[in-house]
Amino acid sequence: MSLEILRKIGLSEGEIKVYSAVLDIGTSTINKIHEKTGIERRNIYDIINKLIEKGLISYTVEKGNSTY
């Protein structure tokens, strides 16, 4: 997917990094997203919530842990 398209629809650089990481990794945890992007974990939570609000990703709870 072209990152330029994601910029044109109004995603921030952090949102683009997290969204791209989730697409690349597949079902993932915050730790895996952190390892892939280098973004601080506390910021990833905020970014994921924004992506969920925009309908771009979703989450599931498996064994008490959220995956995205």
Side-chain angles (χ1 to χ4, degrees), residues 1-50:
M1 172 177 283
S2 171
L3 298 182
E4 190 58 36
I5 293 171
L6 297 175
R7 284 185 190 93
K8 284 183 181 181
I9 64 169
L11 295 185
S12 69
E13 289 302 313
E15 289 171 334
I16 291 170
K17 286 181 182 180
V18 170
Y19 184 68
S20 296
V22 171
L23 287 178
D24 188 44
I25 300 168
T27 301
S28 185
T29 62
I30 294 292
N31 285 334
K32 289 181 184 176
I33 295 169
H34 167 70
E35 290 171 7
K36 180 84 173 168
T37 63
I39 297 173
E40 293 295 325
R41 290 171 39 101
R42 64 182 174 268
N43 294 334
I44 293 173
Y45 284 105
D46 292 335
I47 292 168
I48 284 178
N49 285 331
K50 290 177 186 176

